[in-house]
């Protein structure tokens, strides 16, 4: 999957994660989108590691996988890094 696809997938995942997990995030939508891009990588890694398949294209399964990764990163950010 190309880097542009990862970015688009991450933006979609970040938007979904922000919409489903609203709250007072420090950076607002932009920081959440960046976390979504990183979440696409984390979700792809976790999905591959657990045998569910990684984020391998812009499709429903990859969006779900990337959104789960974005949830993980948002949880870590909100609970541990923001204090």
């Amino acid at each position: 999957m190309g880097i542009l696809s990862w970015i688009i997938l991450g933006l979609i995942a970040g938007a979904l994660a922000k919409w489903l997990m609203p709250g007072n995030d420090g950076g607002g939508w932009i920081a959440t989108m960046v976390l979504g891009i990183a979440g696409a990588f984390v979700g792809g890694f976790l999905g591959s590691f657990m045998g569910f398949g990684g984020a391998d294209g812009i499709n429903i399964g990859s969006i779900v996988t990337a959104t789960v990764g974005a949830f993980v990163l948002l949880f870590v950010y909100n609970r541990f890094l923001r204090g």
Side-chain angles (χ1 to χ4, degrees), residues 14-32 35 71 74-75 77-79 82:
L16 283 173
K18 180 65 177 175
W19 181 62
L20 295 171
M21 191 170 142
N24 190 10
D25 295 331
W29 280 95
I30 293 175
T32 305
L35 285 174
F71 273 138
L74 279 174
F75 176 78
Y77 176 75
N78 286 329
R79 297 292 183 245
R82 270 191 51 205

Side-chain angles (χ1 to χ4, degrees), residues 23-61:
N24 190 10
D25 295 331
W29 280 95
I30 293 175
T32 305
M33 296 290 188
V34 171
L35 285 174
I37 293 169
F41 289 105
V42 170
F45 173 75
L46 290 176
S48 295
F49 182 72
M50 294 172 50
F52 296 122
D56 57 358
I58 300 178
N59 54 43
I60 298 297

Side-chain angles (χ1 to χ4, degrees), residues 60-82:
I60 298 297
S62 294
I63 291 173
V64 170
T65 302
T67 303
V68 169
F71 273 138
V72 169
L73 289 181
L74 279 174
F75 176 78
V76 169
Y77 176 75
N78 286 329
R79 297 292 183 245
F80 299 111
L81 299 178
R82 270 191 51 205

